[in-house]
Amino acid sequence: MQKTPAECTTMTDVRAEIDRLDRALMELFAERWGYIERAAEIKRPLKLKADIPGRVAEVRENARRNAIDLGLAPDFYERLWSELINHAIAHERKLLGEDES
């Protein structure tokens, strides 16, 4: 049964909730990855590149704003999202054949 932080009375409770959230985050990352792959499929016939700087800036700013809205450290989450973006772009480049010389 899910507990709020305040309802956790032991480290076992806290660890169980962190593990539950980590799994939920991974499920969301897996869902996000499906959209990354679909983006590459859509970009191919449109001859769009994997790296679209305007969109990259928008996603980074969204991460920063969302972190601020939720009381989190914006610099950290913007860096974390930058890693996600870089990983996605590298994957799209492979799918689009951009990394082939």
Side-chain angles (χ1 to χ4, degrees):
M1 182 162 108
Q2 183 175 328
K3 294 181 179 184
T4 66
E7 292 170 331
C8 292
T9 58
T10 67
M11 284 306 299
T12 299
D13 290 345
V14 169
R15 290 176 181 145
E17 293 307 314
I18 288 172
D19 291 347
R20 177 187 62 75
L21 288 170
D22 286 350
R23 175 64 188 201
L25 287 168
M26 286 298 173
E27 289 171 358
L28 289 171
F29 284 135
E31 181 180 352
R32 188 181 194 281
W33 197 251
Y35 290 102
I36 299 302
E37 294 198 339
R38 184 62 179 138
E41 291 171 0
I42 292 169
K43 286 177 178 181
R44 181 181 300 282
L46 298 173
K47 306 284 190 234
L48 294 174
K49 297 285 188 185
D51 187 358
I52 300 174
R55 177 60 181 155
V56 169
E58 181 182 13
V59 173
R60 287 180 63 161
E61 182 55 36
N62 287 344
R64 184 171 198 77
R65 186 181 59 256
N66 289 333
I68 291 167
D69 290 349
L70 294 168
L72 300 170
D75 291 343
F76 172 79
Y77 288 95
E78 184 180 351
R79 283 192 310 273
L80 181 61
W81 250 250
S82 291
E83 287 294 317
L84 288 171
I85 294 164
N86 291 340
H87 185 61
I89 289 170
H91 183 65
E92 281 190 31
R93 282 186 171 137
K94 287 179 188 172
L95 293 175
L96 294 171
E98 291 180 21
D99 62 348
E100 297 170 0
S101 301

